[in-house]
Amino acid sequence: MANIRDLRQRITSVGNIQKITRAMEMVATTKLRRFQEKAVASQPYAEELDRLVRGLSSGVVSDSDTKLNVADFFQVGDSSAPTGVLFIGSSRGLCGAYNTNVQRELEAGLETLSTDTKLFVVGKKAMNHASRMEHTVAAYFEDLDPEKMDFSEAVAVSKHMVSSFRSGDLSRVFMCGTRFKSMVRYEPYFEAFLPIEAPEGEAAAEPLLEPNGAELLDRLVPRYLETRVFYALLEAVTSEYASRRFAMKNATDAAGDMKKDLTRSYNRARQQKITSEITEIVSGAEAL
Amino acid sequence: MAAPPFNLRIISPQEILFDGQVVGVRFPGEDGELGVLANHATMVALTRSGSLRVRSTEDDDFEFVVHSGFAEMRNNVLTVLTRAAENVESIDLDRAQKAAERARDRLRDAEGSFDKELAREALSRALMREMLARK
């Protein structure tokens, strides 16, 4: 028979844990909502820039004789050079399978590459993983806090990768993070970042370009890449909180079930004790 | 006769600042001010820091501060993509001054780890805000 006092203690401690996980669930829910709003708000900018780059690059890049500063953005670098990967994970734990999923996606993505890789890492948990797996880490953005959502931090990350790419240290750059689809759907991805894939074929109706195509792309392309990093970070944080909310909800539910089972055992043990006490008293009285 | 309206959208990485019908827009292009009316030809332009003036369909004017970015006119929709923008009336002069001061400090701090280019951009944004808010 389980000890009554032990059972009572366990019920209390499970109850305490439940309170904590419920609080964390609520915090994650509010934060998730905030980041989701931000992600939705910044989506149009990212989309418009993407459209603009695609529209302009098909016209300009095919023009091979234009002296384009950004032409190398559209070409794969020295194929013997390593590939860079921006690897975005979380800085904090207790967020379910979030980090494991990105890690798995990263491993799968790296297997498709034939070159050496250099990682650009965001998030403490991602860094832990990278050092355990003995990947070469080119940069670890330790101070970057995606929760602050500062555009200039995204700019710094983007610049770092872009300069390595343009100097020929990297042949290509990929991004590995998590895409936020909805409160209950967030999927890891591994996709190309550099070179930019210019769409095939002729551009539709040639627009007026002010001042001219080359200068426009010069300014547009870096901003486009920065925005992609910014949006990737924002989506990563949003997914992290969605994942944490889900994990904490499961934990709270599990704690509730456990408490119910424990209470049942506790009551049974209590009744058994009373029954046996009564039996003892009755048999004692009969003996008299 | 009232001028025909077209759609103006001002979008920054953080939010859509404006989305509505207007009859005329003047904004600072890379090589000078550009004006756009309805049915303007398809165009992509660079913008620099400055004031973007809008004539609304109700015939009143309002003004935004925009910073370096891009403007695209296509199918009677003018899309202005900018790093940051705000309605001139909502500029917080205090904040702009502080931002300018901070940017200047960072530029002076030769050994600091701050990105000089970013600081310069921030300074020019802050100064432009200050200038337009005082007007």
Side-chain angles (χ1 to χ4, degrees), chain A residues 38 41-45 48-49 51-52 55-56 149-152 155-156 159 204-211 215-216 219-221 223 227 230, chain B residues 9 11-16 29-31 34 40-48 68-74 79 81-83 115 117-118 121:
Chain A
K38 282 191 181 170
S42 72
Q43 200 175 11
Y45 187 82
E48 289 295 326
L49 264 188
R51 205 174 48 80
L52 218 51
L56 282 178
M149 284 336 302
D150 187 349
F151 196 85
S152 38
V155 173
K159 273 193 178 153
E206 190 65 25
L208 293 172
L209 299 174
E210 181 68 40
E215 265 186 61
L216 262 170
R219 284 257 298 267
L220 189 56
V221 166
R223 189 45 53 85
T227 308
F230 175 74
Chain B
R9 295 192 302 162
I11 304 175
S12 83
Q14 275 82 26
E15 58 186 324
I16 297 180
E30 186 65 19
D31 298 331
L34 295 166
H40 192 288
T42 304
M43 170 184 79
V44 182
L46 279 177
T47 67
R48 57 192 326 161
S68 72
F70 315 93
E72 185 198 36
M73 181 70 178
R74 186 184 294 272
T79 309
L81 298 174
T82 170
R83 168 75 186 275
D115 191 323
E117 205 180 313
L118 287 183
E121 273 177 35

Side-chain angles (χ1 to χ4, degrees), chain A residues 50 68 72 94 155 204 242 254 264 268:
Chain A
D50 189 69
L68 203 59
D72 49 352
L94 287 179
V155 173
R264 195 167 291 144
R268 192 173 300 138

Side-chain angles (χ1 to χ4, degrees), chain A residues 35-279:
Chain A
F35 285 117
Q36 199 184 1
E37 274 165 18
K38 282 191 181 170
V40 168
S42 72
Q43 200 175 11
Y45 187 82
E47 277 173 1
E48 289 295 326
L49 264 188
D50 189 69
R51 205 174 48 80
L52 218 51
V53 168
R54 273 167 211 289
L56 282 178
S57 57
S58 61
V60 180
V61 175
S62 57
D63 233 351
S64 53
D65 58 348
T66 47
K67 285 206 169 50
L68 203 59
N69 278 328
V70 290
D72 49 352
F73 278 114
F74 295 89
Q75 283 148 18
V76 180
D78 177 7
S79 57
S80 63
T83 309
V85 179
L86 174 64
F87 177 36
I88 310 172
S90 77
S91 289
R92 270 177 253 165
L94 287 179
C95 48
Y98 173 77
N99 281 304
T100 324
N101 286 340
V102 206
Q103 283 157 17
R104 202 177 298 136
E105 191 73 17
L106 176 76
E107 299 303 330
L110 291 183
E111 262 174 33
T112 64
L113 304 174
S114 47
T115 55
D116 290 343
T117 46
K118 282 187 175 172
L119 292 187
F120 296 81
V121 185
V122 175
K124 203 161 75 194
K125 299 281 162 186
M127 187 59 202
N128 286 346
H129 178 72
S131 46
R132 247 198 329 272
M133 300 304 289
E134 290 166 357
H135 294 303
T136 322
V137 175
Y140 169 38
F141 302 98
E142 197 174 359
D143 300 330
L144 190 148
D145 179 5
E147 283 192 32
K148 268 193 279 174
M149 284 336 302
D150 187 349
F151 196 85
S152 38
E153 288 186 338
V155 173
V157 174
S158 170
K159 273 193 178 153
H160 197 115
M161 294 193 294
V162 165
S163 65
S164 303
F165 175 74
R166 295 192 84 178
S167 64
D169 291 345
L170 298 173
S171 57
R172 281 178 298 173
V173 182
F174 288 85
M175 278 203 295
C176 183
T178 307
R179 183 147 292 137
F180 180 79
K181 302 231 159 149
S182 75
M183 297 281 270
V184 288
R185 276 186 70 211
Y186 29 90
E187 291 161 5
Y189 62 87
F190 187 86
E191 63 179 29
F193 179 63
L194 279 167
I196 301 165
E197 284 164 31
E200 299 284 317
E202 286 302 294
E206 190 65 25
L208 293 172
L209 299 174
E210 181 68 40
N212 59 57
E215 265 186 61
L216 262 170
L217 274 178
D218 265 5
R219 284 257 298 267
L220 189 56
V221 166
R223 189 45 53 85
Y224 163 70
L225 296 172
E226 288 156 10
T227 308
R228 271 190 72 184
V229 173
F230 175 74
Y231 197 62
L233 292 175
L234 186 51
E235 274 199 307
V237 182
T238 316
S239 306
E240 182 191 328
Y241 276 105
S243 184
R244 179 167 296 131
R245 189 192 73 94
F246 190 64
M248 288 303 118
K249 188 180 160 15
N250 282 347
T252 311
D253 291 351
D257 289 346
M258 204 187 261
K259 217 164 110 180
K260 216 154 85 192
D261 287 347
L262 283 173
T263 313
R264 195 167 291 144
S265 317
Y266 170 76
N267 285 337
R268 192 173 300 138
R270 195 172 54 92
Q271 273 167 357
Q272 244 168 41
K273 194 178 155 224
I274 294 167
T275 315
S276 71
E277 273 171 8
I278 290 175
T279 323

